[in-house]
Amino acid sequence: MRGVLCGSGGKPTRIPPYPSGSRGDLLKLPAKRPDRIRIERIWPQVDDGRYAVKRTLGERVDVYATFLRDGHEVLGGAVRYLSPGKRRWRELPMRRIPEDLDRWHGSFVVDALGRWQFGVVAWVDRVASWQHELERKVAGGQSDLASELSEGAALLGVASLTVEEGLAASAGDRSEQVVAELQLPVLVDGERAAYGSWYELFPRSWGGFAGVQKLLPEFAKLGFDVLYLPPVHPIGLTHRKGRNNAASARRSDPGSPWAIGGEAGGHDALHPDLGSAQEFARLTARATELGIAIALDFAIQCSPDHPWLQEHPDWFHRRPDGTLKYAENPPKRYQDIYNINFDTEDWRALWTALRDVVLHWVSQGVKVFRVDNPHTKPVPFWEWLIADVQAAHPETVFLAEAFTRPAMMALLAKAGFSQSYTYFTWRNTKAELTSYLTELTRSELPQYFRPNFFVNTPDILHAYLVRGGPPAFEARLVLAATLSPSYGIYSGFERCENTPLSESSEEYLNSEKYEIKKRSLGGPLLPLISRLNAVRRANPALRQLDNLTFLETENEHLIAYVKRTGDNAVIACVNLDPVAAHEGVVIIPPELGLPAAFDVSDLLGDATFTWRAGRNYVRLEPGLQQAHLLRVEL
């Protein structure tokens, strides 16, 4: 009989003799004999397969699973995978991990863009199980093995068998095979989704599309992979903003490119002052020849003069008095912008129109999009749009400009965004950087979240750069370029521009968002930028995210870390203090597996040093050398 437990208030609660129904119901046999093999803890996966893990073309997908069965039978297993557009599943063997006898590992290489699937299968290998039992009996000194040998002969399909022949026979029988019900998705992107050096510029400050095209060879020499252009569409006149976001504009003020739409068209049109469609086509074509991707801004917002306000008035928010509601992010006010109403009853047409904007620019040679504030739009919309675009154009990359709550940033990545802006700009101390990078690299996040470390943007000039001057710019540049496979700078960073709108503001004084500047490619940081981009391309370890190990320095102003991929290992040490020199050590722990003594080459200079496991002296001084970047010569 079952017992009695105390319920709330100490009153006894009697447990019924059986969970529910009659004893006969409880003991009812299953219609099919249950499988004795259990498959558990398949990895990698995101939210039980609701979302895809992400890999890039040519990468290996390492798959792990736990196989369990009662008894002493020898198990076998394989990873099953299905590539895009194929119907036949392929298999590759899984092997038992020696350190964990129930954990298995296998892998496959993704050689096509698009959505893959994978799973695992396990079975009892009866031949190997018989051989294992025979080996134990032989080792135990048993000599009468006639019955065992007859059993083996039957398994192998031969008339008779000796011990030696039995132990030498090939295994491979698949008895009790179980295919895991869970089939997991893998989204395979091109290299640009996971790795790249970005440069952001306003074309109107560089002579329009033709002016930018002339400079493409220089950007290529500097090692930039992506040239990101803020919105290139017509700009509205109504409520146009003036210099420094002034509420009223002068006749000569060009307005903010994010106030999209005017007499010349909307999101699928080009601003006439930037150049013609033919000039834009020549720009994208020439960039492609040089290995540079042109990225466009996809901002889902409209100026009061956008054609959609007349064609689809119900796509916009209105107050109870019928007036349109302009965009706000208190204390910031954007009277020149109206946000889209995603709760419109005409949402299907709205979604389709926005998808068609993206497809229009894809047809014009644009395969990279920086998406403005995606966290203020419905996640299901992004999941649909990105999947629909990538179904036809799997090479398309979407970067989320989502400075918001961590859970929402992660959800957008799960929904399909290839990359995301991050909190890197606001992580400046050793403790902040160590904590944040540990979160990004030592969790589930690397399976689907790819960071892009922009050091500045037209909206973000951090106080660290304002107060630290050129040494601060050098430190942040080295950190961004070596910690993350993708990083970016906005025009003026190479010139160490750091004048804020006010002491407490992260906005630039005389922001390029509201006026045209005369830009040219130059500045004291260009040699370092060029060198870092070359180093990144030459060292595979710097093109990976989750191979990061922080190293002790015994100095809070010195941060050190190593990245290693195969035989390629790079050690970085950066002085985070932009005003003072600092001495310390970089401690190489034994678990890194490096030799007791090894040579390192300074990738930011020409020197070679001998380092050792244990303590290695470093001194970094602003104005002379802000960072070490050392390749281990193995």
Side-chain angles (χ1 to χ4, degrees), residues 218-477:
E218 296 302 315
F219 284 112
K221 288 180 182 178
L222 288 168
F224 287 107
D225 305 294
V226 181
L227 213 56
Y228 156 46
L229 315 181
V232 293
H233 316 298
I235 299 172
L237 293 172
T238 303
H239 304 313
R240 175 173 285 190
K241 290 298 188 78
R243 294 184 64 186
N244 291 313
N245 201 25
S248 59
R250 300 172 302 179
R251 184 184 298 269
S252 60
D253 286 335
S256 167
W258 280 272
I260 298 171
E263 184 178 349
H267 283 74
D268 56 358
L270 295 168
H271 197 300
D273 292 349
L274 298 179
S276 65
Q278 291 76 20
E279 287 174 309
F280 183 78
R282 287 194 287 269
L283 169 63
T284 58
R286 180 61 175 145
T288 300
E289 291 175 1
L290 294 169
I292 296 176
I294 297 296
L296 288 189
D297 198 294
F298 184 41
I300 302 178
Q301 58 204 35
C302 301
S303 84
D305 305 317
H306 196 290
W308 282 351
L309 273 87
Q310 298 298 321
E311 299 168 0
H312 304 281
D314 54 331
W315 287 3
F316 299 89
H317 293 279
R318 294 184 182 273
R319 294 186 174 88
D321 63 2
T323 59
L324 285 168
K325 184 177 180 180
Y326 60 75
E328 293 185 83
N329 184 17
K332 296 179 181 180
R333 306 172 70 193
Y334 304 100
Q335 298 92 331
D336 56 340
I337 292 173
Y338 293 137
N339 284 330
I340 293 290
N341 176 21
F342 276 89
D343 291 324
T344 176
E345 293 296 321
D346 194 27
W347 64 270
R348 290 182 177 85
L350 171 62
W351 284 28
T352 301
L354 292 170
R355 187 274 317 273
D356 289 348
V357 167
V358 175
L359 291 177
H360 167 76
W361 293 112
V362 170
S363 72
Q364 304 303 305
V366 177
K367 299 298 175 65
V368 182
F369 295 88
R370 178 267 199 189
V371 179
D372 193 73
N373 288 321
H375 55 288
T376 61
K377 287 79 179 175
V379 174
F381 163 72
W382 292 121
E383 192 168 11
W384 169 81
L385 181 144
I386 294 172
D388 199 50
V389 171
Q390 290 184 337
H393 307 279
E395 70 280 13
T396 311
V397 172
F398 293 88
L399 167 64
E401 189 244 7
F403 297 113
T404 183
R405 304 180 305 279
M408 176 56 73
M409 295 169 72
L411 180 57
L412 289 167
K414 293 176 183 178
F417 276 94
S418 317
Q419 297 183 6
S420 177
Y421 283 60
T422 67
Y423 300 135
F424 170 73
T425 311
W426 297 277
R427 302 296 186 261
N428 291 278
T429 68
K430 181 177 181 177
E432 290 169 345
L433 287 165
T434 302
S435 175
Y436 190 46
L437 267 297
T438 299
E439 175 188 343
L440 291 179
T441 61
R442 293 292 183 268
S443 65
E444 184 187 73
L445 281 176
Q447 299 301 324
Y448 60 89
F449 185 91
R450 299 188 184 110
N452 193 321
F453 281 5
F454 263 82
V455 290
N456 68 328
T457 77
D459 294 305
I460 304 172
L461 171 64
H462 195 273
Y464 180 85
L465 298 178
V466 174
R467 298 167 185 162
F473 280 74
E474 291 182 28
R476 296 300 291 177
L477 180 64

Side-chain angles (χ1 to χ4, degrees), residues 10-11 38 42 74 98 131 142 177 205 250 281 303 309 316 340 364 370 392 417 443 462 542 546 587:
K11 296 180 181 179
R38 296 294 180 94
I42 303 175
V74 175
Q131 289 173 326
Q142 294 187 34
Q177 178 170 294
S205 295
R250 300 172 302 179
S303 84
L309 273 87
F316 299 89
I340 293 290
Q364 304 303 305
R370 178 267 199 189
F417 276 94
S443 65
H462 195 273
L542 298 180
D546 57 355
I587 299 178

Side-chain angles (χ1 to χ4, degrees), residues 49 63 85 112 137 160 191 205 231 288 406 482 484 493 496 499 525 545 561:
V63 179
K137 291 183 176 181
S160 62
E191 181 187 42
S205 295
T288 300
T482 58
S484 174
F493 185 90
C496 301
T499 305
L525 287 185
L545 175 65
Y561 46 91

